[in-house]
Amino acid sequence: MVTLSADSRPIIGRGPPLGARFFFLLVISIAVMVMDHRGNYLDTARMWMGVALHPLNVFVDAPHAAWSWLTESFADRARLRKENAELSEELRVARIKLLRYESLVEENRRLRELREASQGIGERTLIAEIMNVAVEEFRHRVRINKGASHGVFEGQPVIDAFGIVGQVVRLDKFSAQVILITDAEHAIPVQVNRNGIRSIAMGTGKLGTLSLPFMTIESDIKVGDLLVSSGLDGIFPAGYPVATVTRVERNPQDTFATVEAKPLALLDRDREVLLLWPQKDDAAASASAGIQVDTTAAEPAGESPARSPAAE
Amino acid sequence: MAVADGQNTVLRVLVTVLLALIFALIELPDVVSRARPELLLLVVIYWSLSAPRIVGLTFAWACGLAVDVLTGPILGQHALAFLFVAFLTHKFQLRIRIFPIWHQTLTVFMLLALYEFLVFWIDGVIGPAITTWTRWLPVLTSTVLWPALVAVLDTWNRRSR
């Protein structure tokens, strides 16, 4: 076990004493924590340290990325044909739905313009891949392969084909951390699609469960209800599906009912997610003013957004 | 514990630290991932004992900061925990180094417990901490790993003397 060293230089007496170094670094650590937690003063520093360590992420992700590339490149013909058939079937169904969607969007826009309330539709999106990299135990976070250099920003909504996935919490130059809606520290304002009741869906730390702690026992909510984002937080755009209600328990002596919901996004199975750039209100309004479809609504559209609250 | 003060010890330190960082990042099934050993901390303890001139407090602190950048919720959390462990290791370095292996393992167990506690505590300060018992599993798995790690690195050190 013990091997004596040939090196006879004294260990003690070189540089500042141990206690002093410890104290110095301790103060720095605490200062760093406070600055990072309270004011996000260190975002730039963190970003560049992230750049320095990014190769590690890429390295760890590489086998998985290479494997999926391989399986994609050497997929056999039968499987591709099957997939192709499935996809065209899906596309056909989606197209038919879209036919109605187009007219509904138009109708919705006209109605909104009549109410002089404008809300952005038609956001810019970017596909990001979830890196196969462990982020933090006990927290529902993932790392995606798009970062500040792709225009990603903190608080950016992330969705997949089925619903809202989460939002960007931490930004590096070439990657970003996304907090999932099921993380215990996450909450998202939602509304029941059926009747518009608003509430907040909190993460529980369990994958597959959200809880709605602020639903009174009288409120009209039942199992199977679709919850969509209400857009009140200014982070998630309104109207995206979030979860379906799976459990409602009303205990007469409590004020609030126990409501649980299951996220619609495939939080644990996603490989690709979509980053959203929600349009600002004025940008949306000017865009919609550009497309003049209905003569009754077209002319006041350009000046509406600034005064929209007054009209209510 | 072999004392490593050779020429290419710096290289060996860097290689092991890099490997440990990669180990911390590899995606594992959830059950295994919960019990993932704190390999980087073990490596830092090992080198603090056997090459104290190379792996000092600042180096340990920097390793912790790297963990923070890669996975942590805030900067400085793991850096602080690493710093405490490295300080104690350095403080009692001459004693721990000559402990018999089981005694040494017990000491490392306590250092690991302190580390996990500090991380847990800072978690609680900055937000709702996760209080499941599984977060203490790494202490056990890392302790079990310690004798193996010492054996491997000692052999490597002796061979490249």
Side-chain angles (χ1 to χ4, degrees), chain A residues 210-224 245-261:
Chain A
L210 294 173
S211 87
L212 283 76
F214 308 119
M215 278 288 188
T216 53
I217 49 171
E218 295 94 40
S219 51
D220 176 20
I221 186 165
K222 57 190 181 204
V223 172
V245 176
T246 51
R247 192 163 81 99
V248 180
E249 235 169 64
R250 294 187 171 85
N251 196 343
Q253 70 225 24
D254 292 343
T255 319
F256 295 108
T258 312
V259 182
E260 279 180 1

Side-chain angles (χ1 to χ4, degrees), chain A residues 23-276:
Chain A
F23 187 71
F24 177 67
L25 286 171
L26 184 69
V27 170
I28 289 188
S29 312
I30 293 171
V32 161
M33 274 193 281
V34 170
M35 272 160 64
D36 196 29
H37 188 55
R38 294 281 165 212
N40 296 341
Y41 296 111
L42 295 175
D43 282 356
T44 324
R46 172 189 277 280
M47 195 175 283
W48 286 107
M49 283 192 280
V51 171
L53 292 171
H54 187 66
L56 278 178
N57 281 325
V58 174
F59 180 80
V60 171
D61 185 47
H64 194 266
W67 177 248
S68 51
W69 180 82
L70 267 179
T71 46
E72 255 165 53
S73 326
F74 296 102
D76 55 300
R77 188 157 163 270
R79 211 190 83 207
L80 280 180
R81 280 183 62 171
K82 186 164 156 278
E83 238 176 58
N84 199 339
E86 276 170 15
L87 284 177
S88 21
E89 178 63 32
E90 235 170 69
L91 185 65
R92 201 171 300 129
V93 174
R95 276 226 178 104
I96 293 167
K97 276 189 187 155
L98 208 59
L99 288 177
R100 274 177 56 225
Y101 174 76
E102 292 287 328
S103 66
L104 286 175
V105 166
E106 276 313 317
E107 188 182 331
N108 190 357
R109 197 178 59 76
R110 278 202 303 276
L111 289 171
R112 280 193 187 286
E113 276 171 6
L114 284 176
R115 287 178 55 217
E116 297 206 3
S118 63
Q119 205 153 23
I121 42 164
E123 289 95 354
R124 192 158 76 83
T125 59
L126 177 70
I127 289 182
E129 268 180 36
I130 292 181
M131 297 180 88
N132 218 35
V133 168
V135 175
E136 165 95 347
E137 301 311 325
F138 310 113
R139 282 168 208 269
H140 293 182
R141 300 188 185 196
V142 292
R143 189 176 284 280
I144 55 172
N145 69 346
K146 295 283 188 292
S149 64
H150 302 90
V152 178
F153 56 91
E154 257 187 69
Q156 183 166 25
V158 179
I159 63 170
D160 71 359
F162 304 95
I164 290 184
V165 170
Q167 57 174 298
V168 174
V169 275
R170 178 130 296 155
L171 209 54
D172 283 351
K173 199 80 183 156
F174 306 112
S175 64
Q177 266 186 40
V178 173
I179 183 169
L180 304 183
I181 52 174
T182 49
D183 189 288
E185 285 179 35
H186 195 266
I188 173 174
V190 293
Q191 98 191 92
V192 179
N193 199 33
R194 185 164 50 85
N195 50 22
I197 294 178
R198 284 192 285 261
S199 183
I200 291 176
M202 318 259 263
T204 55
K206 276 178 283 179
L207 214 64
T209 318
L210 294 173
S211 87
L212 283 76
F214 308 119
M215 278 288 188
T216 53
I217 49 171
E218 295 94 40
S219 51
D220 176 20
I221 186 165
K222 57 190 181 204
V223 172
D225 273 347
L226 176 69
L227 302 173
V228 298
S229 55
S230 68
L232 287 181
D233 52 0
I235 291 175
F236 293 103
Y240 280 91
V242 176
T244 48
V245 176
T246 51
R247 192 163 81 99
V248 180
E249 235 169 64
R250 294 187 171 85
N251 196 343
Q253 70 225 24
D254 292 343
T255 319
F256 295 108
T258 312
V259 182
E260 279 180 1
K262 185 179 184 302
L264 288 164
L266 303 176
L267 297 178
D268 50 345
R269 269 168 290 162
D270 273 332
R271 174 77 184 156
E272 275 169 354
V273 291
L274 214 58
L275 290 158
L276 279 188

Side-chain angles (χ1 to χ4, degrees), chain A residues 1-5 7-12 14 18-19 21-23 25-30 32-34 36-38 42 45-46 49-51 53-54 56-57 59-60 131-141 143 170 172 177 184-185 205, chain B residues 1-3 5 18 21-22 24-27 33-34 36 52-53 56-58 61 65-66 68-80 83-84 87 90-91 93-94 97-99 101 104 122-123 126 128 130 132 134-135 150 154 158 161:
Chain A
M1 200 59 230
V2 187
T3 321
L4 285 178
S5 170
D7 186 359
S8 59
R9 283 174 295 169
I11 293 172
I12 304 154
R14 301 163 74 244
L18 196 61
R21 267 181 297 160
F22 173 69
F23 187 71
L25 286 171
L26 184 69
V27 170
I28 289 188
S29 312
I30 293 171
V32 161
M33 274 193 281
V34 170
D36 196 29
H37 188 55
R38 294 281 165 212
L42 295 175
R46 172 189 277 280
M49 283 192 280
V51 171
L53 292 171
H54 187 66
L56 278 178
N57 281 325
F59 180 80
V60 171
M131 297 180 88
N132 218 35
V133 168
V135 175
E136 165 95 347
E137 301 311 325
F138 310 113
R139 282 168 208 269
H140 293 182
R141 300 188 185 196
R143 189 176 284 280
R170 178 130 296 155
D172 283 351
Q177 266 186 40
E185 285 179 35
Chain B
M1 176 88 31
V3 173
D5 261 344
L18 269 181
L21 269 177
I22 287 170
L25 282 179
I26 290 173
E27 184 100 315
S33 180
R34 293 264 158 113
R36 185 198 305 256
R53 291 203 185 79
L57 292 191
T58 319
W61 185 79
L65 202 64
D68 280 327
V69 171
L70 286 170
T71 71
I74 60 166
L75 284 182
Q77 182 189 24
H78 292 86
L80 184 84
L83 178 67
F84 266 92
F87 173 68
H90 274 265
K91 186 99 185 148
Q93 179 234 357
L94 292 176
R97 215 158 63 173
I98 56 168
F99 279 162
I101 189 69
Q104 206 174 57
I122 297 170
D123 260 358
I126 61 172
I130 293 99
T132 138
T134 48
R135 74 175 296 147
V150 170
D154 267 1
R158 287 215 189 82
R161 175 67 59 83

